Amino acid sequence: ENSPMQIASALQSGFQVECDIRVIQGRLYLGHDSAQYEVHSNFVLNERLWLHCKSPETLHVLMNNQCSKVFFHANDDCTLVADTGTSSKWIWTYPGKPLTSQSIAVLPELGKWSKEQLEKCAGICSDYVVEYKKDLGFVLSKPAETVVEEKPVEQADIVLV
């Protein structure tokens, strides 16, 4: 998860991607549990990335640098995702918690929501989005123009909206 190649592959396939990001000594790194991949500041400007800030400092930095969808959470049932470039907002909603039409259902594969509930939310974040795309008929955003080496799309946390 969170490797630049996996993220690029998912973007090329037309998906939006949630990635874990942190700022350490003024540098940006991808990685869920630790800083694994350093990325250039331009990386976070892609409007199809959902930037899961791993610290309040990271959230502060990215909110003030024209990044698109940024959020931070600890152990919340849900959290606000704000698009800093527009007035768009979503509710990042954890498994089994109530969904709204603005919810992004996180990890629906855990079986906490019915198909009918998922059809009413704004999107999903899953490691199995290809299957959800088939089952729920979510519309994909325009594919990225960059060509990258093919990697399995299922390995990235992907958001369908």
Side-chain angles (χ1 to χ4, degrees), residues 102-160:
Q102 287 186 268
S103 289
I104 302 298
V106 177
L107 301 175
E109 58 268 22
L110 296 180
K112 305 290 184 178
W113 295 298
S114 68
K115 180 178 178 180
E116 292 76 25
Q117 289 172 305
L118 292 173
E119 288 173 336
K120 294 177 183 175
C121 67
I124 64 167
C125 179
S126 170
D127 292 333
Y128 306 98
V129 293
V130 174
E131 297 304 316
Y132 284 106
K133 179 184 177 288
K134 292 176 191 171
D135 291 345
L136 300 174
F138 280 95
V139 177
L140 299 180
S141 59
K142 182 179 176 184
E145 295 175 7
T146 307
V147 177
V148 297
E149 178 185 354
E150 289 295 322
K151 297 284 182 185
V153 171
E154 288 83 3
Q155 292 183 3
D157 286 331
I158 304 174
V159 178
L160 288 173

Side-chain angles (χ1 to χ4, degrees), residues 62-83:
L62 296 183
M63 282 179 49
N64 292 309
N65 283 292
Q66 301 177 340
C67 296
S68 188
K69 300 168 194 79
V70 296
F71 66 101
F72 170 81
H73 72 89
N75 295 314
D76 311 314
D77 290 350
C78 61
T79 193
L80 176 68
V81 179
D83 187 327

